[in-house]
Amino acid sequence: MSPRRGISAEPLLAAPVLIMHRLLPSNLAPLPRVFFERPPLEVAPDLLGKLLLRRWRGAWLAGRIVEVEAYLGREDPAAHAWRGPTPRNRVLFGPAGHAYVYLIYGLHTCLNVSIQPAGNAGCVLFRALEPLAAGAAASPLRAMSGPGRLTRTLHIGRALNGCDLTRPGRLCLAADDWPCGLPARARRAGPEIRVSRRIGITRARALPARFFLPASPAVSGPRPL
DNA sequence: ATTACGATCATCT
DNA sequence: GATGATCGTAATC
């Protein structure tokens, strides 16, 4: 039996090694639906620093959002919603705050959150998460760096397509009291946010719609000024 | 019914 | 920087 060549969509790690809690920590509040009922270019940078939480086998797995991309809907040639509703993208045309999960390149899964009220099909793609703590209990940085890697590590598959991310079910988005550990001045200003073109698309290349926290080592791809 | 391609990743040069 | 893996989707015939 020859060794497996190339990449596979199997889980990176045999066991989850992210920070785990059996109960949703009380300092976490799911983001309300109104948070997502705004233009994608406003919501995307606001998601940086928030948490993505995945309930899996009785535990909550979590990562800090450090890189996202905005897709604008019908007016955006790079968006799945560009040509209008199809069986695949119908979640995008529904209410805001729901998971849009799809398979790309035959083997990778991408996770988005639907943005704007029903009828407007904007969304935000999650490109990288950072583990909440270093050490033996945390996953390697690379495990959630990249849209395909983060879904693999968090066991997010297409069965979660359409999931309401504003409720603490199997998958949700939440804010915590971060960045409470920073000095007061930094807390007011927030972390530095950088903007760039989106990655891996051929249409609407020039649009600055990728937002990331340059301070995070988990960011994928280039970090232009 | 058939086909072309993609919001990626790992491995190679 | 280039390439191959791999398959669901949507457009075309």
Side-chain angles (χ1 to χ4, degrees), chain A residues 6-10 102-110 148 151-152:
Chain A
I7 61 175
S8 88
E10 295 304 305
Y102 66 91
L103 185 70
I104 188 68
Y105 296 115
L107 64 166
H108 297 295
T109 302
C110 288
T151 55
R152 192 184 349 167

Side-chain angles (χ1 to χ4, degrees), chain A residues 51-194:
Chain A
L51 302 181
L52 179 66
L53 298 148
R54 165 72 165 125
R55 187 168 169 80
W56 185 74
R57 295 189 182 178
W60 285 99
L61 318 179
R64 178 89 57 195
I65 299 165
V66 298
E67 182 186 355
V68 295
E69 281 177 355
Y71 287 85
L72 309 190
R74 302 219 44 171
E75 72 268 31
D76 180 2
H80 284 182
W82 183 45
R83 297 174 196 269
T86 67
R88 177 177 64 161
N89 68 20
R90 65 186 167 78
V91 171
L92 297 178
F93 291 86
H98 291 256
Y100 171 48
V101 185
Y102 66 91
L103 185 70
I104 188 68
Y105 296 115
L107 64 166
H108 297 295
T109 302
C110 288
L111 170 69
N112 304 248
V113 57
S114 63
I115 297 295
Q116 301 178 126
N120 294 331
C123 67
V124 172
L125 168 71
F126 295 99
R127 287 197 57 91
L129 308 179
E130 183 177 314
L132 290 182
S139 61
L141 273 176
R142 73 173 181 280
M144 297 193 288
S145 178
R149 287 205 192 109
L150 76 88
T151 55
R152 192 184 349 167
T153 297
L154 292 177
H155 304 94
I156 294 169
R158 280 173 297 167
L160 290 172
N161 189 43
C163 176
D164 186 353
L165 299 179
T166 68
R167 303 199 51 117
R170 307 204 65 73
L171 189 64
C172 74
L173 290 160
D176 60 6
D177 51 9
W178 183 85
C180 62
L182 297 179
R185 191 191 314 168
R187 202 180 316 158
R188 276 198 306 275
E192 182 193 357
I193 293 176
R194 224 170 271 179

